[in-house]
Amino acid sequence: MADWNAYYPKEDDEVEQEEGEESVGDYKSSGRDSLVFLVDASKEMFIKGEDGEPSNFDMTMQCVRSVYTSKIISSDKDLIALVFYGTEQSKNPRNTFKHVYVYHDLDSPGAQRVQNIDSLRGEEGAQLAAETMGSGQTSLGDALWCCYNLYSDIKLRLSHKRLMIFTCRDDPHGGDSTRDIRARTKAADLKGTGVVIDLMHLKKPGGFDVSCFFCDIVSPPEDERELGLQLEPCGKLEDLKNRVRAKEMKKRVQSRLTFSLGDGMNIAVGVYLLVKTATKPQAVRLYAETNEPVRTKTRLFHTQNGSLLLPSDTKRAQVYGKKQIVMEKGEVDEIKKFDDPGLVLIGFKPMDCLKLHHHIRPSLFIYPEEEQVTGSSCVFTALLQKCSERNVFALCKYTSKLNTPPRFVALIPQREVLDSSQVQAAPAGFHAIYLPYADDKRTLDVHDCPTASDEQVDKMKQIVHKLRFRYRSDAFENPVLQQHYRNLEALALDMCAPEAIEDFTMPKVKMMDDRLGPLVQEFKDLVYPPNYNPESKTAAKRKQADAEGAVDKKPKVEISEDELRAHVAKGTLSKLTVPVLKDACKHFGVRTTGTKKAELIEALLAQLN
Amino acid sequence: FFWGGALVLCMDVGFSMSNSGPGQELAFEQAKRVIQKFIQRQVFAESKDELGLVLFGTDHTKNPLAEDGQYQNISIYRHLMMPDFELLEEIEHQLQPGSQHADWLDALVVCMDLLQKETVGKKYERLNIALLTDLNTLACADQLDVIIGNLKKAGITLQFFLPFPVDADAEGDGGGDGAGPQNPPPGGKGLSREQKQGLEMVKQVMTSLDDEDGLDEVHTFSEAVKKLSIFKPIERRPMAWPCQLTIGSSLSIRIIGYKAVCEEKFKKSWAVVEAESHQKDDVKRETVFCLNDDNETEVEKEKTIQGFQYGSDIVPFSKVDQEQMKYKSDGKSFAVLGFTKQETIHRHHFMGNQVLKVFAPKDDEHAGVALSSLIHALDRLKMVAIVRYVYDRRSNPQVGAAFPCIKQKYECLLYVQLPYMEDLRQFTFPSLENNKKFSPSEAQLSAVDALISSMMLVKEGEDGEKEDIFKVNSIPNPQFQRLFQCLHHRCVNPGTPLPPVEPWLKRMLDCPQAVSACCYDFLKEMKRCFPVKEVLQKKEQKTRKKSDLYNTCVLLLQVGSVNPAKDFHTLIQQKTISFEQACEQLTHRIEQLLGNRRTEYYMKTITCVQAFREQATGIFRNSGVFLPKVCTNMNADALTLISKDEVESSSVSKQEANQVLKVPSPFSWFLMANQLVSPVKLKHW
């Protein structure tokens, strides 16, 4: 029985999985990501900044909270832990370590945990922290050892292990070399098991000197240029969040492919998704009595004799021109096969050949895979540099996976961009833009439209000018998703009502009106005649249309049996409208569950033939 | 409401149509192919056009006008109805050349009569007659004016399909697209007297119906086949989306949006049918819920509720509650949130899967002027409008950018969705250009530079006009083309394996010859400059293999027809079915393949046999099982029976094995392979 899922990995094999869509369920093969926040809880961390700026501790908690909530939305299987060091109280699995307080051990974040962190924020949070944990002696070595145990207690396969130290003390042991050495040894042990240690150093009066202790603790940078240690300490929450976010997200490769330049010249590239539409997660079915999740199993039966049907007992069929065409499942898949997965270079085109309307799906990101083909990065870099210099894009044929028909993509060069604090804002690589086929373009009836005069255009320019703003791609939260998660949060935490969301997609009408002032009226005077009302016109029209519709609908569109039989004979049933067909179904006592045209026709045919 | 169109195909099957010089394809066959391709296309496009077929030059007569020796040898083969596969099959198997000839003008009159009688009382969008003939029968021109008059009156349009181009009677060999040496008129260089006269009449008819473009509707057979080979996609009418563009609370402009670009998906889905009966109703799908315990205890659907994962928590959340608590938008909207510089919108941040074009309504010039002001203002300032777009009450709001778009013929706003914060992933990648290990040398850079120059797909002509030699947006989606090809094949040739991808389609998807020829040397140089080496990672390969296996596990349970050799290999590896079964299936496929006497099928057969041989030697060597004499196979290059040298239990000596090489055709190989004929016998073939 258990094998059934192997045969029916997805319930409906008719619904093709979106190409390029990420299969989220591949944690099994790649393991889960894990992240440990190791936070200094010494007195220094709680000192408030000037002008009422939040303390380093407060800032850290806000940052940790935002990681928790974003993980819940983006990758809820990842494991996070929160550990404090330099505390008075101790709390860890075997209570072997003094002054180490495991607040959350490694687990996927949930509503309760978010609430716990909330309670540590602000003035009251500091108070609570002082009561529960207090500040005491510091032994980073013990803290790291404790974290080591957290990792080794996890039975799941971990793909990416990261530990972030938040502190504002560059010399935590006050010169005690034994404890310094112990910390270094334990850090080395951790690194030896594949844990990457990062330092999120915070503002300290007199400056944070990384070189006096922490340079030996943290992991060496991933590439030559990345010199995390020379970064200035974070003073602002935004900076800290950015720095944490840049580190915390493990890039997950979508697929590794061969990029063929032609004539056997092949390099290896990885395909990534830097943008992907975030959607509400799938609902799960729960057993009402215990609230435990249930699994679904789908089986096929023979209607006549009730026997189980194996996949080999079925075939696939479509009907065209009154004829059923049958194929085997394997054939249906093979039909979709043209090439093996990969990118094939066709040629180059000037950038202005890529038009705005060449868009059918979100883009992909392409980056070389040196581990598979050595030398790939060099070829890739040269190509990137030259495409960018010459302002051209590479046109490629892209086959994403087995049994997938090809699509063409434009590879547009992206040079690396760093922001003001030297954090990578855009990585170097190619963006792959999907190009439409002839079938994807629709022909529209365009009609002549009057063109505006210069005076009218100028007035609009003033309006545009007044409403300028700096667009940032991360400025808009998805209100639908946010609302959904707030609702879940409220239910999970038994809150009486979900926290209200701010809908950033709504126009700030009041502010806009204030800014525009009399400009709107002036523009309207220029383009609209005095009695013109753009809103009422459509409304009036609709009403009229409704009225007409009502008249139209009343006389029942009936069709005689003879006519209907004529249609059946000539195969012209599909010319009839849905209401007529429904009516016919009723008339002949044909019971259908479907409301689609094809279903109605099928039912009628079954009856009349 | 309208009834689509009505069309009568009128084909000459007369004596001259099946008479041609040596080495030339019969005009009859060409015309038949035009008709087949056309009907195929109508069937797959599920067109609502009705279609009739009239033949002339037939041995018998079957039409209502035939009286007193008039309108003879003209038969109505099919009355107006929706085209279907039955018709295609009839044409394939029953449509035969006749031995008579008939006046093509008479045939035209029969068609007109058919159209008029069978469309009475219904409204059609268009009425059309397509005439396929070689004009080799003298037509009586007496009634020409009357006929033209009637055509005009009834609003019937006309198309001619001829074996030669319309200007073929001009001196020289006529030129014309596709008409070249392949289609010289029968009987030598020039056209026959009848054909010349016929052509004059065709011109007269066509120019009097439309004096400017009339002759554009006269085609050659070969050009028509070429055009019809591309299956026409299902046409969709753009749906208008009326709304108002709003800026603040008091400025609104009436607009109409249309989907301009959107990934076209295949409309029909595959139904699951029972393998023997081919009946959909014989298959019942049942979904059950079960607990995650060892017994997989089943629970009733009524006893389950809906829930969601919230991190580590599972929150019960009923549909009703969800509906009540969810975000609600207040209906359709196209509201400007503000304006920003075009350069702040990144191309790779385009989201969603469509592009909308936004126009002003046709009948509202004030809206037109207002929208035009906005479009031009944005264009001059190089800015875009950031817009909140909601399709309707039930759909989720989007934030997107409306770009100004000014074309010669029209102007509009182009709307594209932009990402939400949740959609972005801030991945950090190691720097490439600042990494000494990867930075290319000058020589390497110039090699790439030369490669780019040699592979430019947009060439500037002498007149400064740019020519794009690889326009993706004029390539038909190969998925649809291939699917229709296979559906058609399966329908017309049931029981035979699926054909390979059509060569023209393959060509269309590859690097154009002009470019691949030109970049050859530069690629060589690239290879010399850049040392690249594949790293074999054991672990990687293992996992890959596993996933491959998984893929095929799900899909593969028998030797398919598309790639039988590969299927066979996989089946043996997987051991899902026994070796004997796999062999049996492969043999069955080989038999099928050999049923088609075409080279590509023979080639496929050979790969099958090769596969068989490979597996067979491996298996018998490993297991020492008695080798049935059957396993005697060969391939195109070195095809020998499996000899004793390779497998001990073989009864065939090396000498014997080599002898078999002299056997002539793949078919005999096959017979022998199955021990249907002994090698000795084969020698006598």
Side-chain angles (χ1 to χ4, degrees):
Chain A
M1 277 294 180
D3 286 337
W4 276 101
N5 276 348
Y7 286 125
Y8 299 105
K10 261 204 135 174
E11 268 182 44
D12 33 356
D13 44 20
E14 277 75 47
V15 182
E16 286 174 42
Q17 215 192 340
E18 287 279 300
E19 290 162 44
E21 201 65 7
E22 191 173 23
S23 37
V24 191
D26 68 354
Y27 279 99
K28 255 184 219 147
S29 54
S30 57
R32 299 179 181 196
D33 287 354
S34 61
L35 176 61
V36 173
F37 293 111
L38 183 56
V39 180
D40 188 354
S42 65
K43 290 206 169 63
E44 288 88 333
M45 287 289 284
F46 290 93
I47 298 170
K48 271 206 188 166
E50 295 144 32
D51 313 328
E53 271 182 39
S55 69
N56 279 327
F57 186 84
D58 198 5
M59 206 163 82
T60 306
M61 286 307 110
Q62 285 193 49
C63 182
V64 170
R65 185 195 197 272
S66 80
V67 172
Y68 269 64
T69 48
S70 78
K71 280 278 182 196
I72 287 176
I73 296 180
S74 63
S75 39
D76 60 4
K77 297 282 186 292
D78 289 356
L79 307 178
I80 309 186
L82 176 61
V83 180
F84 295 101
Y85 71 97
T87 53
E88 183 54 41
Q89 305 300 320
S90 311
K91 178 175 172 255
N92 44 69
R94 289 173 275 278
N95 277 324
T96 36
F97 305 106
K98 293 245 153 62
H99 310 295
V100 180
Y101 198 101
V102 178
Y103 201 74
H104 290 148
D105 61 7
L106 265 180
D107 201 349
S108 41
Q112 193 58 53
R113 290 190 163 199
V114 175
Q115 212 178 29
N116 290 341
I117 291 175
D118 277 339
S119 66
L120 289 177
R121 283 166 54 186
E123 196 84 34
E124 292 155 32
Q127 190 128 28
L128 182 71
E131 281 164 22
T132 50
M133 304 181 293
S135 299
Q137 219 188 4
T138 302
S139 168
L140 195 60
D142 280 350
L144 290 171
W145 195 351
C146 177
C147 294
Y148 182 92
N149 287 345
L150 288 183
Y151 278 116
S152 54
D153 287 348
I154 293 295
K155 295 286 173 288
L156 297 160
R157 219 187 114 191
L158 299 176
S159 60
H160 180 65
K161 295 184 262 191
R162 201 171 265 276
L163 184 141
M164 288 182 185
I165 304 175
F166 291 77
T167 184
C168 59
R169 294 185 297 160
D170 49 9
D171 182 19
H173 304 126
D176 180 340
S177 57
T178 353
R179 275 186 285 163
D180 276 0
I181 291 168
R182 193 180 157 81
R184 281 190 197 118
T185 329
K186 290 300 158 198
D189 288 350
L190 268 173
K191 285 184 272 186
T193 61
V195 177
V196 179
I197 304 179
D198 288 316
L199 177 65
M200 295 295 151
H201 48 313
L202 306 161
K203 250 211 173 106
K204 165 185 180 270
F208 194 106
D209 185 3
V210 178
S211 63
C212 76
F213 171 68
F214 275 102
C215 57
D216 297 332
I217 299 291
V218 298
S219 300
E222 277 175 57
D223 65 284
E224 289 172 23
R225 187 195 44 85
E226 198 192 326
L227 302 164
L229 298 180
Q230 269 140 29
L231 288 174
E232 287 297 300
C234 281
K236 276 195 232 117
L237 179 65
E238 270 313 301
D239 288 351
L240 184 64
K241 273 190 187 170
N242 277 343
R243 206 176 285 185
V244 170
R245 196 197 291 161
K247 292 271 181 190
E248 150 283 294
M249 256 205 252
K250 165 75 179 152
K251 45 187 188 283
R252 217 176 260 278
V253 65
Q254 187 74 13
S255 60
R256 296 187 178 87
L257 295 172
T258 307
F259 181 10
S260 159
L261 304 181
D263 193 32
M265 173 95 190
N266 295 336
I267 63 169
V269 292
V271 180
Y272 298 83
L273 296 178
L274 298 189
V275 282
K276 181 183 184 274
T277 311
T279 50
K280 263 189 235 174
Q282 278 279 311
V284 286
R285 292 225 70 87
L286 308 175
Y287 184 44
E289 278 173 28
T290 55
N291 276 356
E292 64 178 307
V294 294
R295 289 200 302 132
T296 52
K297 283 196 296 190
T298 303
R299 288 178 275 198
L300 296 184
F301 286 103
H302 198 293
T303 319
Q304 312 290 326
N305 58 23
S307 63
L308 268 177
L309 289 176
L310 288 165
S312 57
D313 297 331
T314 62
K315 288 185 179 173
R316 303 292 177 272
Q318 284 192 5
V319 177
Y320 274 102
K322 291 198 273 186
K323 181 148 180 158
Q324 189 187 40
I325 306 170
V326 181
M327 292 199 192
E328 281 155 37
K329 171 84 172 81
E331 289 177 321
V332 170
D333 292 323
E334 286 268 9
I335 285 174
K336 286 185 261 170
K337 179 173 175 154
F338 285 77
D339 303 290
D340 286 329
L343 272 170
V344 179
L345 179 65
I346 302 289
F348 299 87
K349 283 187 188 186
M351 211 51 135
D352 58 12
C353 287
L354 182 66
K355 302 284 193 265
L356 282 173
H357 63 264
H358 290 161
H359 167 68
I360 45 167
R361 288 184 200 170
S363 65
L364 308 169
F365 184 72
I366 313 288
Y367 189 84
E369 283 278 326
E370 193 71 16
E371 293 79 33
Q372 291 206 314
V373 176
T374 50
S376 293
S377 299
C378 186
V379 179
F380 191 91
T381 311
L383 201 61
L384 182 67
Q385 212 167 316
K386 277 293 159 193
C387 282
S388 167
E389 268 171 36
R390 297 184 56 164
N391 203 27
V392 296
F393 66 83
L395 182 72
C396 292
K397 182 162 65 169
Y398 172 55
T399 306
S400 58
K401 46 186 180 203
L402 212 69
N403 296 336
T404 309
R407 275 268 165 198
F408 286 95
V409 291
L411 297 190
I412 58 173
Q414 166 76 57
R415 306 292 279 262
E416 186 177 30
V417 182
L418 302 176
D419 71 7
S420 52
S421 54
Q422 294 296 298
V423 175
Q424 192 178 63
F430 283 104
H431 295 293
I433 311 288
Y434 282 98
L435 300 175
Y437 281 123
D439 310 56
D440 304 324
K441 281 196 318 183
R442 304 199 175 178
T443 31
L444 307 179
D445 289 331
V446 288
H447 53 87
D448 281 330
C449 247
T451 311
S453 69
D454 278 347
E455 192 189 2
Q456 291 161 332
V457 173
D458 286 341
K459 190 53 80 186
M460 186 49 101
K461 271 163 88 175
Q462 291 176 20
I463 293 180
V464 170
H465 197 76
K466 284 276 185 217
L467 299 178
R468 268 178 320 160
F469 77 112
R470 242 195 107 65
Y471 171 79
R472 284 166 45 102
S473 50
D474 57 358
F476 296 96
E477 287 182 343
N478 184 341
V480 177
L481 271 188
Q482 291 297 335
Q483 184 68 59
H484 178 73
Y485 282 107
R486 295 289 167 88
N487 291 344
L488 287 181
E489 193 182 47
L491 287 168
L493 298 175
D494 280 331
M495 290 151 63
C496 34
E499 221 181 304
I501 61 155
E502 184 178 352
D503 186 350
F504 293 99
T505 70
M506 287 304 272
K508 300 186 172 54
V509 178
K510 175 86 180 43
M511 198 184 74
M512 290 167 84
D513 287 349
D514 288 348
R515 279 214 215 161
L516 291 175
L519 276 173
V520 171
Q521 197 49 51
E522 287 165 28
F523 177 73
K524 283 208 261 189
D525 291 344
L526 280 175
V527 294
Y528 292 155
N531 54 357
Y532 178 85
N533 183 350
E535 271 132 88
S536 69
K537 205 164 176 181
T538 40
K541 220 175 173 188
R542 193 177 310 137
K543 236 178 224 166
Q544 203 184 348
D546 277 353
E548 276 172 19
V551 176
D552 273 350
K553 269 173 207 158
K554 260 184 191 162
K556 274 230 166 138
V557 258
E558 274 177 16
I559 184 160
S560 74
E561 186 169 345
D562 286 347
E563 276 178 86
L564 200 67
R565 287 199 186 278
H567 280 298
V568 171
K570 287 173 77 180
T572 48
L573 267 184
S574 63
K575 288 190 177 185
L576 300 175
T577 58
V578 172
V580 176
L581 289 169
K582 273 191 183 159
D583 205 58
C585 281
K586 233 184 260 165
H587 191 250
F588 289 99
V590 179
R591 262 183 293 151
T592 54
T593 44
T595 48
K596 279 189 195 155
K597 194 165 187 177
E599 292 164 338
L600 293 170
I601 291 174
E602 205 172 298
L604 273 173
L605 282 174
Q607 175 82 11
L608 292 168
N609 278 338
Chain B
F1 53 100
F2 283 103
W3 283 74
L7 165 80
V8 180
L9 296 171
C10 181
M11 179 178 162
D12 188 351
V13 297
F15 176 69
S16 65
M17 288 287 281
S18 45
N19 224 341
S20 70
Q24 283 169 11
E25 197 184 8
L26 298 180
F28 172 81
E29 291 298 335
Q30 289 189 27
K32 182 169 158 182
R33 211 163 45 235
V34 171
I35 288 187
Q36 283 176 316
K37 291 270 182 196
F38 181 80
I39 298 175
Q40 262 172 44
R41 195 167 143 146
Q42 297 289 100
V43 170
F44 283 121
E46 307 208 290
S47 151
K48 291 185 179 170
D49 292 355
E50 287 173 36
L51 191 128
L53 178 59
V54 171
L55 305 176
F56 63 103
T58 47
D59 296 348
H60 58 282
T61 303
K62 198 181 124 203
N63 73 74
L65 301 181
E67 253 174 30
D68 311 327
Q70 287 221 315
Y71 298 101
Q72 290 302 298
N73 301 105
I74 301 173
S75 313
I76 294 177
Y77 191 85
R78 189 173 166 120
H79 292 268
L80 274 189
M81 59 194 276
M82 301 277 273
D84 50 28
F85 272 109
E86 216 171 288
L87 178 59
L88 273 176
E89 269 166 67
E90 281 172 21
I91 292 172
E92 171 90 25
H93 303 296
Q94 290 171 25
L95 189 62
Q96 301 296 337
S99 56
Q100 304 293 319
H101 50 82
D103 183 331
W104 58 267
L105 272 177
D106 281 355
L108 183 60
V109 174
V110 171
C111 293
M112 286 162 69
D113 178 64
L114 175 83
L115 263 186
Q116 277 170 327
K117 277 192 190 138
E118 296 187 13
T119 58
V120 162
K122 299 176 213 157
K123 265 197 226 161
Y124 285 84
E125 270 175 346
R126 53 191 180 273
L127 303 174
N128 189 21
I129 298 173
L131 219 87
L132 300 94
T133 175
D134 62 357
L135 296 175
N136 236 332
T137 307
L138 197 57
C140 167
D142 297 352
Q143 300 288 313
L144 202 56
D145 290 337
V146 182
I147 294 175
I148 292 170
N150 278 335
L151 281 171
K152 277 188 179 164
K153 209 169 88 195
I156 297 174
T157 53
L158 210 56
Q159 280 175 308
F160 276 94
F161 294 86
L162 309 174
F164 43 81
V166 68
D167 47 3
D169 57 340
E171 284 306 305
D173 40 40
D177 178 36
Q182 201 189 343
N183 298 305
K189 266 190 184 173
L191 302 177
S192 68
R193 197 171 54 86
E194 292 84 3
Q195 285 178 322
K196 277 185 187 158
Q197 271 181 13
L199 201 55
E200 280 315 306
M201 278 157 70
V202 169
K203 283 184 189 167
Q204 196 185 335
V205 177
M206 293 312 277
T207 43
S208 48
L209 287 177
D210 180 347
D211 53 357
E212 263 181 41
D213 303 321
L215 292 183
D216 290 353
E217 289 302 332
V218 184
H219 310 274
T220 64
F221 289 153
S222 53
E223 144 200 8
V225 168
K226 219 191 277 171
K227 277 193 194 144
L228 289 168
S229 288
I230 299 179
F231 284 108
K232 206 168 68 174
I234 308 97
E235 265 196 38
R236 289 201 190 215
R237 282 189 192 199
M239 277 276 282
W241 180 74
C243 190
Q244 279 149 38
L245 183 152
T246 57
I247 303 175
S249 67
S250 54
L251 179 54
S252 54
I253 303 171
R254 286 177 60 207
I255 52 164
I256 294 192
Y258 294 97
K259 266 186 197 180
V261 179
C262 177
E263 187 171 344
E264 203 61 61
K265 293 264 168 66
F266 196 63
K267 260 200 296 184
K268 274 206 168 156
S269 60
W270 291 93
V272 179
V273 297
E274 209 270 326
E276 296 296 320
S277 67
H278 291 183
Q279 287 297 309
K280 194 162 77 176
D281 296 342
D282 282 350
V283 179
K284 202 176 129 207
R285 184 183 288 265
E286 189 196 67
T287 304
V288 293
F289 299 97
C290 58
L291 297 179
N292 243 338
D293 55 12
D294 290 343
N295 299 326
E296 300 199 313
T297 319
E298 285 185 21
V299 292
E300 286 160 50
K301 190 178 180 200
E302 290 68 40
K303 290 199 175 153
T304 63
I305 48 169
Q306 187 188 252
F308 283 96
Q309 199 105 24
Y310 182 76
S312 53
D313 309 321
I314 293 174
V315 184
F317 195 10
S318 72
K319 275 214 169 101
V320 184
D321 287 345
Q322 200 194 344
E323 194 53 41
Q324 215 156 53
M325 291 171 77
K326 77 170 187 191
Y327 177 89
K328 286 175 197 85
S329 74
D330 38 6
K332 57 164 70 169
S333 145
F334 200 78
V336 172
L337 304 178
F339 299 96
T340 192
K341 286 267 170 221
Q342 277 179 23
E343 74 234 20
T344 60
I345 311 291
H346 297 300
R347 189 57 233 252
H348 56 270
H349 276 163
F350 283 13
M351 297 297 287
N353 33 32
Q354 60 175 22
V355 177
L356 294 183
K357 279 189 177 168
V358 175
F359 299 90
K362 207 171 188 169
D363 53 358
D364 188 341
E365 60 172 304
H366 309 301
V369 173
L371 190 66
S372 171
S373 323
L374 177 61
I375 293 168
H376 284 271
L378 291 176
D379 187 59
R380 290 181 203 176
L381 293 166
K382 299 248 172 309
M383 292 184 88
V384 297
I386 299 296
V387 183
R388 173 184 205 259
Y389 165 80
V390 187
Y391 179 75
D392 70 9
R393 201 165 39 77
R394 289 158 305 174
S395 46
N396 296 336
Q398 296 179 3
V399 170
F403 292 85
C405 168
I406 300 174
K407 292 269 171 84
Q408 207 156 22
K409 280 197 186 141
Y410 62 93
E411 45 190 51
C412 65
L413 288 173
L414 264 175
Y415 169 83
V416 187
Q417 189 186 351
L418 292 173
Y420 278 122
M421 187 266 279
E422 294 88 340
D423 305 337
L424 296 168
R425 299 168 177 205
Q426 314 273 346
F427 292 157
T428 315
F429 289 81
S431 177
L432 281 177
E433 284 164 89
N434 296 315
N435 191 325
K436 281 194 201 80
K437 264 194 292 183
F438 305 142
S439 56
S441 68
E442 273 312 309
Q444 287 174 324
L445 281 174
S446 64
V448 172
D449 201 47
L451 181 76
I452 293 178
S453 301
S454 72
M455 292 184 83
M456 283 310 284
L457 296 166
V458 178
K459 307 239 154 105
E460 207 157 317
E462 286 158 25
D463 48 355
E465 278 285 296
K466 279 185 188 161
E467 196 206 354
D468 191 339
I469 57 169
F470 199 91
K471 273 196 186 143
V472 175
N473 57 15
S474 54
I475 299 177
N477 189 340
Q479 183 178 9
F480 300 160
Q481 301 299 323
R482 173 80 175 134
L483 179 64
F484 289 142
Q485 181 207 358
C486 291
L487 284 171
H488 177 251
H489 176 93
R490 179 51 45 91
C491 188
V492 182
N493 311 298
T496 62
L498 296 177
V501 177
E502 292 198 71
W504 66 264
L505 185 60
K506 252 197 143 103
R507 261 201 311 278
M508 209 172 229
L509 301 172
D510 280 334
C511 187
Q513 200 100 55
V515 171
S516 57
C518 176
C519 67
Y520 184 73
D521 290 339
F522 300 101
L523 270 172
K524 275 244 146 69
E525 178 61 16
M526 284 282 287
K527 273 195 200 162
R528 206 185 54 76
C529 277
F530 291 96
V532 289
K533 195 166 165 270
E534 199 162 339
V535 186
L536 285 175
Q537 282 165 315
K538 272 192 187 149
K539 203 178 139 204
E540 185 74 24
Q541 273 191 320
K542 236 188 200 165
T543 51
R544 202 196 286 172
K545 235 188 193 155
K546 230 190 217 161
S547 67
D548 270 359
L549 208 64
Y550 174 73
N551 275 338
T552 43
C553 263
V554 179
L555 308 174
L556 209 83
L557 290 144
Q558 67 178 95
V559 178
S561 65
V562 180
N563 196 342
K566 192 177 136 218
D567 290 356
F568 178 70
H569 277 305
T570 335
L571 281 170
I572 301 271
Q573 265 164 22
Q574 268 173 234
K575 301 197 174 71
T576 24
I577 55 175
S578 73
F579 180 70
E580 284 76 21
Q581 274 177 306
C583 291
E584 207 172 290
Q585 289 183 8
L586 184 75
T587 321
H588 177 64
R589 285 290 171 214
I590 293 176
E591 276 175 85
Q592 278 188 340
L593 284 165
L594 286 166
N596 293 280
R597 299 184 173 276
R598 299 237 309 262
T599 343
E600 62 255 42
Y601 292 123
Y602 280 141
M603 295 312 289
K604 232 185 207 180
T605 314
I606 289 177
T607 53
C608 287
V609 172
Q610 240 170 329
F612 194 20
R613 189 184 200 284
E614 266 168 49
Q615 292 297 347
T617 40
I619 289 216
F620 294 117
R621 193 180 293 145
N622 292 340
S623 59
V625 176
F626 170 65
L627 174 77
K629 279 178 245 155
V630 190
C631 294
T632 48
N633 295 290
M634 48 260 116
N635 65 42
D637 314 310
L639 1 86
T640 56
L641 302 179
I642 299 167
S643 73
K644 274 187 185 146
D645 293 0
E646 288 167 277
V647 179
E648 262 180 67
S649 53
S650 172
S651 59
V652 186
S653 75
K654 183 125 200 215
Q655 222 176 351
E656 269 180 297
N658 283 334
Q659 256 183 354
V660 185
L661 263 176
K662 287 153 201 152
V663 177
S665 78
F667 186 60
S668 31
W669 285 121
F670 164 72
L671 291 177
M672 208 181 55
N674 284 279
Q675 229 194 0
L676 298 170
V677 196
S678 79
V680 190
K681 257 192 196 166
L682 265 175
K683 274 189 220 156
H684 304 295
W685 276 38

